[in-house]
Every structure is written in structure tokens, then in C-alpha cells.
Amino acid sequence: MSVLPPTGQLIPVDAPFSAAQESWLAGFIAGIAAAGTTTAPSTPTTTVDVLFGTQTGNAEFLADQLVAGATARGLGGRARALDDVTPEELAGMSHVLVVTSTYGEGEMPDNAGLFWDAVQASTVPRLDGLQYAVLGLGDTSYDEFCQAAKLLDTRFEQLGATRVHERVDCDVDFEDPAALWTAAVLDRIATETGATAGTGATGPATTGTTAADGAAATRASRPGSQWSKRNPYPARLVENRLLSDPRSAKEIRHYEFDLGDSGITYAAGDALAVVPVNDDALVDHLLEHLGATGDELFDGRSVRELLRTDREVRAPSKDLIADLVQRSPASELAAVVAHGDKQELDRWLWGRDVLDLLRDAGDTAPGLDELLPFLRPLQARQYSISSSPLAHPDRIHLTVASVRYGDDHRKHSGVASTHLADRVQVGDEVGVYLQPNAAFGVPADGDAPLIMVGPGTGIAPFRGFLHERAASGATGRNWLFFGDQHRDTDFVYADELTALQADGVLTRLDLAFSRDQAEKVYVQTRMREQSRELYAWLEDGATFTVCGDASRMAKDVEAALLDVIATERGRGADDAVDYLADLRRAKRYVRDVY
């Protein structure tokens, strides 16, 4: 029998963990140690069902951690997407932990919408015997912060379930509050059910089917998963080339990163998070406006370094906006806020950064010490990976549009996109970490048809899908809808796509360049034009995938898809909605939208 050394000897003092994470790890390791002393483990008598709703993979990652933590405490554990659970199954569960993000303006994530619709029905079973708790992931810069979690928490209570722990709503830096919530909830369930670590800690955690191939491939279990936003991998940039024509109104670039000794293994459909550094010129202008040198200290660090690497200085926070309104109630900003029209406020703020707002505020603006607490933490930017590990196992490719706007008076630029384009040279290192997306990938069945809709940089994952299908020898037909403004300047990867067509990998390529004719043509236009053929592919078992802008394109594409289904089936709009819901349940309608 092997005995683990004391927990303190297993977690190095210089390990990159917060106090909350160390507390969670200590409990987990203690559970494993206790399991090592058990000669005849018995089956756990209590199972914790962890249900997640995720758009980018964070909620699924936390669900995996919850299952591992439950197992370490002698509880059974299984993780499933919310949409994979019926109300009848839910009513038969004893302990449910829900982890969900919020998508768009207070909407459910893509793999939780069907569940939400189901539990709102008047015929839904009561949940009187169920104990539950909810963890929300969100971003306080949005008005409907953690709205999906709030709605589910309330609905469970309305249906008679008993809340075992208060809901916690996490901002973008979710790790510490999520770890504390996880430990508190699982400890309480273990105590109340009499579970002990030796009871079930030796058995593997069971998870629901989350990967496209049916395997429980989770973010937590993948090699290279130790890299995170707190501990990013310093990947070497090995290629940076312009894809769009210099005459284009857009600047789209192709990047390649060397994975080196990271141990990172990715899948087509995953995203890569890039840790940016703010533009030195902008930081200098901000310090100059504040009358600071940058050598001042804040929480033991120089203000200049804090503004470069740790604080958002492009997008003003809601707290900063509220403070400026309070300081200057007669300002233009205050008048816009007073109208209570979010769209009007968004329009007014578009293109304005922190420095713009401080300049507008004049003498009433906060000083350096007052301003810093209002600046949100600088976040990594996630980009859909545009390569396949079968074709490029040691590299990750990205397809990124450089964001630039402004006038001669003031130039603005995207934080991460221009960091890569302007300030990182080939050979330099960039902090990155993988953001797995098990729900978005090529069909497990290589013979199954695949439809891809990805205008602009939305083509990124589909380039990876096509390379994956080619390298794996998949025989299924592939249909890509792609478009942008002008064919002669914006047809990125044109040579590759032409070659893939010639090789028989890309069966159909429908193009929509909106500005090449008097009447604008979009990918959804092409979908409606090919209505009969598109529906035939769906009836043949095709998976329909979408990548790109969530606010307009993805909604327009879904509307077009519903029109196609309704037209070809001839059974009305409600039937089309039901048909699309069935595609969602079968994981044959999946989106990577932002």
C-alpha cells in the first residue's frame, strides 16, 4: 500500500495557485490519500449530477472539477450538458449542481436552451425531492450579468427543489470564487449524506458524452491542460502573414504558433486564448493625461506595468461610467445614461476608450489612485483555431482580423489583434493557453455530410475541419458557405479552398461577396437559393455548423435555416422550430459564435 506524503509536500510553495485553489487541491489530494487506505471500496450511495451550460468551455471545465471533487469525497459524480437532460430525468435526481455561463444579452448558452424551454413547460414534473445549487459564469460589463444562472436558480426553486447552497455569480476572473463555491457545496453534501473519501474516491469519475466522437474528452484531462490565463504557455510565433489584399478595408492575418514542449494537444474546433499586452503608446498617453510617470506603485507594482499587462484600458467599465456620471451629472455621457436606452449608450461608447472618457470629463475626471480600481482586469482574447492536429500536430494556426478605427485626431486599435500584428515579431513569445470546445468539431462519423457557414474570419475553424477530414480520410461530403465584402480583396485562403475542391475534399463552395454587386448578397442569401439541396443534405444526416458574429450573422443564418426547413417540409414555422430542435439534440446543429 502506498501512502501519499502530506499535502503541503505535494503543493510547492511557489506553485501558481491562489489560496482558494490550494484549498480545493488539498481536499482533493486528501481524498485520494484516504482512498489509498481502503482495501474494498464500496459503491457511493449518493450521486451528484453536475449539469453545465457552456459557450466557450469554461463551465464544462468546472463541471469536470466538480465531478473529480465529488469522487474524492466519496460521492458519485457525473457531468452532462443541460440539453442532454430531460425534465423526467431531472426529477429522478437527488443532488444537482448547475454550472452555466450566459450567452449574448442574458440568453442561455447553446447547449442549455432546449433544457430551459423544457423546464418552463406547464407539464414539467415537480422537483420536491431534489437538492441543488447553481454557479454562474459571466461578465459584469454586460447588463444581464449571469442571467442564465439566475433564471435556472429561480426555476428550480419554483419547482420545489431545495437549495443546498446559495448561488454564486462569477465575473471573468472566476477561478477563486468557483473554487470556494465548489469546496463549500461538495463538503456540505458529503457531510449531510455521510459520505467518506474512502467510499468512492478510487473509482473513476463518470462524465456524460461531451466530445463529438462520443468520448468523454474533457478539458481537465487533456495533456497540456496545466496552462491557463494565470500560467500561460510562452509559445513562439513562427509565422505572421497578411491574407487579405492590401487594398481591402480589412486586415486579416494568418498566425502560426509553435507548441514546443507545452504538451498541448488540441482538436479541430478548439480555441486558443492569447494573453495580450496593451499598446505602450496608449499607456504613455494615459499616464501623461493623469500627470503620472508610471513609476508610482499600486499594490506593490509599478503603475506602468499594471496598465500594460493587467488592466483593460480600451473598454471602459460600467463602474467607471457610473463614477463619471456621478461626478458630472450635466455631461453628455450622463444625458445618454439617463435615457436608459442600452443601444443608445452602446452607440455612444463605440470607439471611445478610457482615455477618451477621461478627456471628455475634464476637471471632474478621477485621478490616478481613484481610476485604477475602476479598470477591469485585462482578459485574454480567444480565437478559433484554424488548423487540424492531424495536419499540424506541433503548431496552432489562427486567422485574425486586426481591429483598427479612428481618424487623424485619434487612432484606436484592438488590444490583442494589433498586439499580434504590430508588436510581436516572428520568433517572439506570446502567452497562450488552450480553450477546448468539445461540443464543436467534425462529425465522429467520417461518412456523414458536413455543412459549414463561416463568413469573414468565421472560416477559421472550417479550414481546420477540412484539413482534418482530408488527413483522416473521411469520405463524407463537405459544403462551405463563405463570404465577405469583395472577392478580389477578401477571399482569404482562396488557393487552399480551390485545391481542396480539386482534391474532392470540399464538395461544394458557395460564395457571397456582399459589395460586388448593387444588391448585397450574404451567406444566408446563398442558403435560401440552395434551399432544396441544403434540406436534402440535412435529411441525409448532415451536421450544420456556424462560426462568426453572434449578434447579427448567426441570427440571420438561423432565420434562413428555419426558412429552408419550413419551405422544404411545407409544415409551417412551428414544425421548422421543432426540426431544428431535434438537430440540436442530436448535436447536428452546433455553433461557435462570439
Side-chain angles (χ1 to χ4, degrees), residues 73-142:
R73 290 165 173 79
L75 300 161
R78 56 192 174 195
R80 299 168 68 186
L82 281 158
D83 274 358
D84 292 339
V85 178
T86 66
E88 290 71 27
E89 289 177 297
L90 181 67
M93 297 173 181
S94 64
H95 294 78
V96 170
L97 302 180
V98 176
V99 186
T100 185
S101 61
T102 296
Y103 160 71
E105 295 298 330
E107 303 166 39
M108 294 288 164
D110 276 2
N111 63 352
L114 296 176
F115 176 86
W116 175 239
D117 291 342
V119 296
Q120 290 185 92
S122 59
T123 56
V124 67
R126 295 280 298 172
L127 304 177
D128 296 301
L130 185 147
Q131 297 188 51
Y132 79 101
V134 177
L135 179 68
L137 304 183
D139 184 337
T140 51
S141 65
Y142 289 89

Side-chain angles (χ1 to χ4, degrees), residues 410-469:
R410 181 95 199 280
K411 301 291 186 184
H412 296 76
S413 57
V415 177
S417 63
T418 57
H419 174 61
L420 291 175
D422 301 343
R423 301 187 290 279
V424 178
Q425 304 301 313
V426 170
D428 289 351
E429 292 181 342
V430 180
V432 303
Y433 58 92
L434 191 69
Q435 189 75 37
N437 188 350
F440 188 76
V442 298
D445 181 1
D447 296 333
L450 174 62
I451 301 168
M452 300 161 282
V453 182
T457 54
I459 194 176
F462 302 138
R463 176 179 182 263
F465 285 12
L466 290 169
H467 286 186
E468 179 94 355
R469 299 270 268 186

Side-chain angles (χ1 to χ4, degrees), residues 237-244 251-257 384-388 392 395-402 420-421 426 457 459-460 463-464 467 492-493 496:
L237 179 66
V238 293
E239 185 168 337
N240 171 1
R241 60 184 168 92
L242 185 65
L243 290 175
S244 52
E251 178 189 318
I252 301 177
R253 291 185 171 273
H254 174 90
Y255 299 97
E256 296 187 15
F257 295 91
S384 301
I385 293 173
S386 56
S387 54
S388 160
H392 301 94
R395 289 189 179 186
I396 281 180
H397 299 181
L398 298 182
T399 307
V400 180
S402 302
L420 291 175
V426 170
T457 54
I459 194 176
R463 176 179 182 263
H467 286 186
V492 299
Y493 298 120
E496 281 190 31

Side-chain angles (χ1 to χ4, degrees), residues 27-28 30-32 34-35 38 41-48 66-77 186-187 189-191 193-203:
F28 181 74
I32 295 175
T38 305
S42 58
T43 302
T45 58
T46 301
T47 295
V48 177
L66 277 164
V67 169
T71 304
R73 290 165 173 79
L75 300 161
L186 292 177
D187 285 346
I189 295 175
T191 299
T193 60
T196 58
T199 309
T202 56

Side-chain angles (χ1 to χ4, degrees), residues 566-579:
T567 298
E568 301 306 323
R569 287 173 65 81
R571 302 177 188 176
D574 290 344
D575 172 78
V577 169
D578 291 341
Y579 186 97

Side-chain angles (χ1 to χ4, degrees), residues 282 285 289 314 351-353 355-360 405-413:
L282 175 58
H285 291 318
H289 179 81
R314 288 291 180 191
R352 287 181 165 95
D353 59 20
L355 180 56
D356 290 323
L357 264 61
L358 294 179
R359 286 175 171 173
D360 289 345
Y405 56 96
D407 51 32
D408 292 338
H409 174 67
R410 181 95 199 280
K411 301 291 186 184
H412 296 76
S413 57

